[in-house]
Amino acid sequence: MHHLVETQQFDRASLRKLFDLATILETKRDDSLHGKILASLFFEPSTRTRFSFESAMYRLGGHVITAENAAEASSATKGETLEDTIRVMNHYADVIVIRSPEAGAAERAAAISEVPVINAGDGAGQHPTQALLDLYTIEREIGHIDGVHVAIIGDLRYGRAARSLAYLLSKYNDIKLTLVSSPELAMGADIKAHLDEHGVKYTETESLKDTMPEADVIYQTRVQKERFPSKEEYERFKGGYIIDRTMADSMKEGGIIIHPLPRVGEIMPEVDDSPHAVYFKQVGYGLIVRMAILSTLMNPQRNS
Ligand code: NCD
């Protein structure tokens, strides 16, 4: 694997290798990216994804150059094409992490880049590294992935993290998937076709209350304000699904609540000290998964 653009690039064997490496990197010092440079090119806002890639790079001994507000602070504002920006960055960096509001942007960058390109979210397309850390969190917290019942809640239409996770789950056996959303924000037909093709049983419902006690994993997501055609449209759906403490308490023992973050009201703060709340611990898992991703793409002996 040279670039990381979408979750379909993985199979179970490569996921196993990646997750085992993440677990090793949790405790073992590794400076194998000493002298290498990561460029983060973010055309959309981010806190976790950019900082966690940058922190991961530093922890592996590397360096970072960054455009955190590339839409305004890079030559894109002068009208430079993405392709030209990537050609130029190829002289400065050994790996490029890109986030864009446009679905397909990472693929375009990867098509012309000599150095590895990592998709850190392309519009309503995919967010593969988020889904990888979500899946790793499930494995670490539940103990296994096969047979798990995952409920994905919220904005399944525009939520790229939700879309990427659905792709990844289809690689496992006996997965039960419950898709909780209003019909207008339902999961796209492309993902549903993929689930059907891979024999993943899924149900669609509007009821979060009925789903909470059933699922092993509650994957709550934010309504993606920036993708709606108008503020009024967004306001109609905002606040549609809110997890409060009573709902969290209705979960089965060992069940977990995860969230890609940021949350903007979908999980009440009173849930934070529930034994089911794993969303902040998930951030720590994200760091070691991103270390494992960088290490795999940039160390040829690990990338076979
Ligand atoms: C997600 C994203 O950007 O898609 N955030 C993240 O990377 N942690 C989810 C979101 O913004 O809702």
Side-chain angles (χ1 to χ4, degrees):
M1 188 183 309
H2 186 47
H3 305 288
L4 172 43
V5 173
E6 55 179 25
T7 43
Q8 294 94 309
Q9 288 174 250
F10 286 86
D11 56 22
R12 284 189 67 145
S14 53
L15 287 165
R16 182 72 275 132
K17 247 173 108 173
L18 184 79
F19 290 173
D20 287 346
L21 179 58
T23 305
I24 291 169
L25 292 172
E26 189 170 29
T27 49
K28 189 173 166 271
R29 197 185 159 84
D30 183 323
D31 288 327
S32 57
L33 299 189
H34 177 78
K36 301 279 187 202
I37 297 175
L38 173 147
S40 45
L41 205 50
F42 276 61
F43 294 92
E44 264 194 349
S46 165
T47 310
R48 267 148 301 276
T49 306
R50 185 170 66 81
F51 282 145
S52 78
F53 265 115
E54 294 182 0
S55 173
M57 189 65 182
Y58 281 122
R59 283 177 194 274
L60 291 168
H63 304 280
V64 170
I65 50 178
T66 184
E68 59 171 309
N69 192 3
E72 279 101 48
S74 78
S75 288
T77 175
K78 301 179 187 169
E80 185 172 57
T81 63
L82 175 67
E83 280 76 7
D84 282 1
T85 305
I86 296 296
R87 283 187 188 104
V88 169
M89 295 309 291
N90 262 255
H91 292 280
Y92 304 146
D94 302 294
V95 59
I96 297 170
V97 179
I98 181 170
R99 166 170 289 192
S100 164
E102 259 175 73
E107 201 175 349
R108 274 170 57 206
I112 52 139
S113 183
E114 305 269 328
V115 304
V117 167
I118 299 175
N119 181 4
D122 63 327
Q126 282 222 21
H127 192 354
T129 67
Q130 179 66 47
L132 290 165
L133 79 89
D134 296 335
L135 193 66
Y136 180 79
T137 302
I138 293 170
E139 187 179 75
R140 285 286 297 261
E141 293 293 314
I142 303 283
H144 56 91
I145 301 171
D146 286 326
V148 82
H149 178 183
V150 180
I152 311 184
I153 299 109
D155 184 350
L156 312 184
R157 177 176 180 184
Y158 297 117
R160 55 196 176 194
R163 290 169 51 79
S164 286
L165 182 62
Y167 275 124
L168 276 184
L169 287 169
S170 73
K171 301 187 185 302
Y172 290 82
N173 302 323
D174 305 318
I175 295 292
K176 215 177 140 197
L177 196 54
T178 304
L179 304 171
V180 185
S181 75
S182 59
E184 293 89 340
L185 298 185
M187 189 61 93
D190 56 339
I191 304 273
K192 287 195 250 179
H194 183 89
L195 295 172
D196 286 335
E197 219 173 279
H198 289 79
V200 180
K201 287 193 217 85
Y202 67 88
T203 48
E204 296 182 278
T205 172
E206 289 186 57
S207 174
L208 176 56
K209 206 158 169 269
D210 293 345
T211 306
M212 293 293 303
E214 302 288 324
D216 302 305
V217 178
I218 292 288
Y219 188 59
Q220 174 68 307
T221 67
R222 169 181 76 93
V223 178
Q224 306 281 301
K225 184 179 178 181
E226 61 275 38
R227 313 263 176 253
F228 281 78
S230 71
K231 193 164 173 273
E232 293 69 42
E233 273 277 286
Y234 165 68
E235 298 287 340
R236 266 180 62 211
F237 297 105
K238 181 185 118 185
Y241 292 104
I242 296 175
I243 299 176
D244 62 16
R245 184 64 190 229
T246 311
M247 286 168 92
D249 289 344
S250 75
M251 285 187 82
K252 56 168 92 153
E253 207 186 318
I256 60 170
I257 302 171
I258 60 176
H259 191 307
L261 301 177
R263 66 171 158 180
V264 286
E266 317 78 40
I267 303 176
M268 308 256 299
E270 65 193 23
V271 178
D272 293 358
D273 64 356
S274 154
H276 303 293
V278 171
Y279 33 92
F280 288 118
K281 197 169 176 193
Q282 190 181 352
V283 175
Y285 290 143
L287 177 66
I288 53 176
V289 168
R290 290 196 168 110
M291 286 171 74
I293 291 167
L294 290 173
S295 178
T296 301
L297 290 181
M298 300 180 75
N299 285 312
Q301 75 280 12
R302 281 200 176 133
N303 194 5
S304 53

